[in-house]
Amino acid sequence: MCGRFALTATPDQTAAFLGLAELEDFPARYNIAPTQPVLMATAGVPRAPGSNLPDRQPMLVRWGLIPAWVKDTREFPLLFNARSEGAIEKASFKAAMRHRRALVPASGFYEWRQSGGKKGQPYWIRPRHGGLIAFAGLIETYAEPGGSEMDTGAILTVNANADIAHIHDRMPVVIDPGDFARWLDCRTLEPRDVADLLRPAQLDVFEAVPISDLVNKVANTGPEIQQRGEIGPEPEKARRQKSGADDSQMTLF
């Protein structure tokens, strides 16, 4: 899965990577979480013959897809990820797979190696040679009961490759720059025509850096959350105090 990521490149770097004409200024974001706004790029209106302007457009999307048919969002789960294996047929995603495929620029993402059923060691997973990557995204415009519209989105995931599998069994789908046009082309290419792009990243694309648990809190948004650090085992004394009553305090149980 992909529940946190970062985008720390400049607007100019990001626009050049995605093939956009320009982007409004935005700050580096080190801890992007679901329900927050995220930048995505989609295919734009076709340009006139001879135009050298990009035919892609940026969108600011709420991370957490809401299908158009949802009646009550309070009773609907937060779909910040979409399993690529069933996205073509699943009711929540099939319309977006056909009509609203997108690119999600990122400098890397975070994942946690599970330990004892709890979040364990966090990792900052970044391109081994630096630069930006683009996740495969989906967009759905949701019409709220009051009449206003909200653009929402999800990131497609796939089985993790051997570089990531020891941390987590899923990873975001990464679209290579050479495949951007194919992935975004919803006018002439149906989901089955781009299904081959929904695959794990090549080996050695990413490196996983162990970091501290600062990333666990969404309120921590500075570059320090990406600094190398490992979480050691919980001290024996602390484990004893959690498993039973603290002898130094009164208790009713």
Side-chain angles (χ1 to χ4, degrees):
M1 70 185 280
C2 176
R4 301 281 182 85
F5 70 98
L7 176 59
T8 59
T10 67
D12 287 346
Q13 291 170 333
T14 306
F17 175 69
L18 294 174
L20 299 170
E22 61 181 355
L23 284 171
E24 293 184 6
D25 194 29
F26 59 80
R29 300 178 66 191
Y30 291 89
N31 199 2
I32 303 172
T35 73
Q36 294 180 355
V38 299
L39 173 66
M40 294 193 183
T42 64
V45 177
R47 300 296 185 183
S51 172
N52 59 359
L53 294 175
D55 62 351
R56 297 171 191 163
Q57 63 184 15
M59 293 184 66
L60 201 58
V61 175
R62 179 237 194 209
W63 189 13
L65 188 143
I66 305 175
W69 46 261
V70 170
K71 301 298 184 184
D72 188 351
T73 58
R74 294 171 299 181
E75 298 179 0
F76 194 76
L78 185 63
L79 301 179
F80 55 90
N81 284 163
R83 293 179 69 93
S84 61
E85 294 86 350
I88 295 176
E89 295 86 16
K90 191 168 183 179
S92 296
F93 307 120
K94 63 181 182 181
M97 278 291 295
R98 178 64 186 90
H99 302 290
R100 291 171 289 276
R101 298 190 295 268
L103 298 170
V104 186
S107 302
F109 65 101
Y110 302 99
E111 198 51 83
W112 285 259
R113 187 178 63 211
Q114 300 298 313
S115 176
K118 299 180 180 180
K119 274 191 176 181
Q121 174 66 52
Y123 286 84
W124 164 231
I125 301 173
R126 63 191 181 189
R128 187 176 297 276
H129 301 296
L132 286 161
I133 49 174
F135 302 143
L138 299 175
I139 294 177
E140 188 72 85
T141 301
Y142 178 71
E144 298 179 293
S148 61
E149 292 186 341
M150 174 173 57
D151 294 319
T152 69
I155 293 172
L156 285 153
T157 66
V158 70
N159 285 328
N161 63 19
D163 290 337
I164 310 298
H166 69 287
I167 300 172
H168 199 280
D169 62 353
R170 305 289 294 178
M171 68 184 300
V173 174
V174 176
I175 303 296
D176 293 332
D179 293 319
F180 283 1
R182 279 187 63 207
W183 174 249
L184 294 178
D185 183 2
C186 297
R187 299 187 191 93
T188 64
L189 298 179
E190 296 188 12
R192 64 173 179 266
D193 300 321
V194 294
D196 61 297
L197 301 180
L198 303 178
R199 58 181 184 263
Q202 295 287 328
L203 294 178
D204 294 326
V205 168
F206 290 111
E207 62 177 352
V209 180
I211 57 176
S212 77
D213 58 2
L214 286 174
V215 69
N216 293 4
K217 293 185 178 180
V218 178
N220 294 331
T221 59
E224 65 276 2
I225 68 173
Q226 294 179 355
Q227 293 178 0
R228 184 180 293 270
E230 297 195 24
I231 299 175
E234 189 176 25
E236 181 65 28
K237 181 178 179 181
R239 289 200 299 269
R240 287 200 306 268
Q241 290 178 353
K242 286 182 180 180
S243 61
D246 185 347
D247 293 337
S248 65
Q249 300 184 40
M250 295 178 65
T251 179
L252 296 177
F253 304 97

